[in-house]
Structures are given as C-alpha cells and as structure tokens.
Amino acid sequence: MTENRRDRDSEGRARSARPRDGLGRPLPYGAPGVARQPEGIVRGPEQTLSEAQRLLAAGKPFHAHEVFEDAWKTGPADEEALWRGMAQLAVGLTHAARGNTTGGARLLLRGADGIAAYGMTPAPHDIDIAGLLVWARELAARVAEGATVDAAEEAPRLTKPA
C-alpha cells in the first residue's frame, strides 16, 4: 500500500505547499511563485476593501478573494452574504482570466446576485454596489461570449469615488 503524503499546515489540515502564480494556479514544487495571501486575518471593512483593491489592481483576484473570504468568515453575520458575494466576484474574475469562461461567467453573476441586496442607500462601507453590479454583469456577458480577460485591466473599483 502506498502512503498518501499530503502537505499539512501547523494544525494538521491539508494545505498544498506548491507555489502558485498570480491567478492562484499551482506551479511545480520549487518554481518561483507569488507569495500567498495569509489566511484568517481579521481586518476592518476599510482594510478589507483597501487590501482587496490593491490586489485586484495588481492582477491578483485570487488573492483578493482570500481577503474577502476572511471578512466573510470573521465579520458580522448581517454582512456575511456581502463579503461572500465580493469573494465570488473576485473568484469569477480569477476564472475568467484563467480562460474558464463558463465558471467565470457563473461566479460573476452569482457574486452580483449576492451583493445586490446591499444596494440600499447608503451602501455599506461606501462599496459601489451599483457599479459592481454593472461591471459583473457586463463582464459575465463578455466572458460567456469567449472574451479574453486580463485580470488587472478588468479590475473593478470597489468603493464609490470620493
């Protein structure tokens, strides 16, 4: 019987140690990769949005999704769907940039549906819900038609202009 040796984190959970590229795709062991986003960080909403915006602008939507995932898991219960929807938007952009048109379009639309309920005035944390809904739906339509997506060029603005 062959032993199945999986990478584990300090708490014993399966966690791949393979390096990853900017879109989160695994690379061969030993290849230079992009530093991973630390998980489990508790940030305030403004920090979450600032860090995610920085990562999106750098063409790293996979990493931005991890920031949103932390907010969804550690934030208040009444904002869980907001942060989950934001994470889905980032992962949708990730899949679209990887060339996964079906998954990218679906996740963009799922994320848009998830944040739509937060479109009241004023939107929480100055998030540009209306702008993100337009962005996600338009990008999903282009992706479904086979558009090539550059993650940095397609990065949305998360908050309303000052």
Side-chain angles (χ1 to χ4, degrees):
M1 177 183 237
T2 305
E3 184 179 340
N4 182 4
R5 302 193 70 193
R6 296 180 70 187
D7 297 328
R8 304 271 175 191
D9 66 12
S10 61
E11 296 175 8
R13 292 182 302 233
R15 195 75 76 198
S16 177
R18 286 175 64 181
R20 301 208 173 239
D21 71 7
L23 292 173
R25 292 176 291 219
L27 299 169
Y29 285 102
V34 173
R36 290 188 174 191
Q37 192 65 29
E39 294 180 40
I41 304 295
V42 178
R43 302 173 182 85
E46 291 75 23
Q47 289 175 301
T48 294
L49 292 164
S50 176
E51 180 65 5
Q53 188 70 73
R54 182 186 71 75
L55 292 164
L56 288 167
K60 298 177 183 176
F62 178 81
H63 297 77
H65 120 272
E66 292 178 335
V67 170
F68 289 132
E69 194 170 89
D70 285 339
W72 137 32
K73 291 179 178 179
T74 64
D78 64 335
E79 292 184 359
E80 183 178 316
L82 170 69
W83 298 116
R84 184 175 52 244
M86 297 292 281
Q88 289 169 330
L89 292 175
V91 124
L93 178 56
T94 300
H95 282 283
R98 289 177 177 176
N100 176 358
T101 57
T102 302
R106 283 184 185 160
L107 280 162
L108 286 163
L109 294 175
R110 189 178 306 150
D113 289 346
I115 68 169
Y118 294 89
M120 73 291 246
T121 304
H125 315 297
D126 288 324
I127 297 173
D128 186 3
I129 300 291
L132 287 169
L133 293 174
V134 169
W135 168 82
R137 291 174 178 148
E138 287 179 355
L139 183 57
R142 288 191 291 121
V143 167
E145 293 173 359
T148 300
V149 173
D150 179 289
E153 287 179 18
E154 297 288 352
R157 180 180 180 96
L158 301 176
T159 56
K160 297 175 184 173

